[in-house]
Amino acid sequence: MATIAQELASDFDSIKSDFPVAISHNGTTYNGTMSAATKGRVLEEGGLFPDIDAVLAMKSADFTTKPKAGEKLQITSCFDSSLQSQHYRITSVEYPDGAVVQISIVALNQ
């Protein structure tokens, strides 16, 4: 019988195959998935733009160098072809369960 961790890893692999994204970070390519991306951000109260356009979900163990807020990355391939070759700044990095890293990003070319 599979453990919960094995089931979650299998589920994550299924999501990655349905909504694949590949990013380049510090010269290395990583595969994962991402949320829908916001395009054309709307001002929030106080005249501020939201500091997030999308959230990437990647396997934490894949990273030799953990991503950090302020670093840049490029989407090299994506289920949303309009995002291909786009550059982003990392706004936050979270490790909700240790197995997956969630990387919040904002576009550099808006």
Side-chain angles (χ1 to χ4, degrees):
M1 181 171 178
T3 66
I4 291 174
Q6 290 169 327
E7 288 180 27
L8 290 173
S10 176
D11 290 346
F12 185 67
D13 288 338
S14 295
I15 293 168
K16 283 187 350 183
S17 67
D18 289 340
F19 301 100
V21 66
I23 64 166
S24 176
H25 173 261
N26 288 337
T28 303
T29 299
Y30 300 97
N31 296 302
T33 189
M34 69 183 286
S35 67
T38 302
K39 298 173 188 172
R41 296 176 288 159
V42 178
L43 283 174
E44 290 181 344
E45 188 174 327
L48 301 173
F49 285 109
D51 202 23
I52 181 174
D53 286 336
V55 177
L56 298 164
M58 319 293 274
K59 283 189 177 179
S60 179
D62 288 348
F63 285 86
T64 52
T65 303
K66 301 298 185 195
K68 297 179 186 87
E71 294 179 339
K72 295 175 179 62
L73 60 83
Q74 180 182 18
I75 294 178
T76 56
S77 68
C78 185
F79 62 90
D80 180 348
S81 61
S82 69
L83 301 178
Q84 198 148 315
S85 300
Q86 298 295 311
H87 294 267
Y88 289 84
R89 177 177 50 85
I90 299 171
T91 59
S92 68
V93 180
E94 297 177 15
Y95 299 88
D97 62 4
V100 173
V101 57
Q102 293 178 337
I103 305 168
S104 299
I105 57 176
V106 64
L108 292 175
N109 51 355
Q110 283 192 6

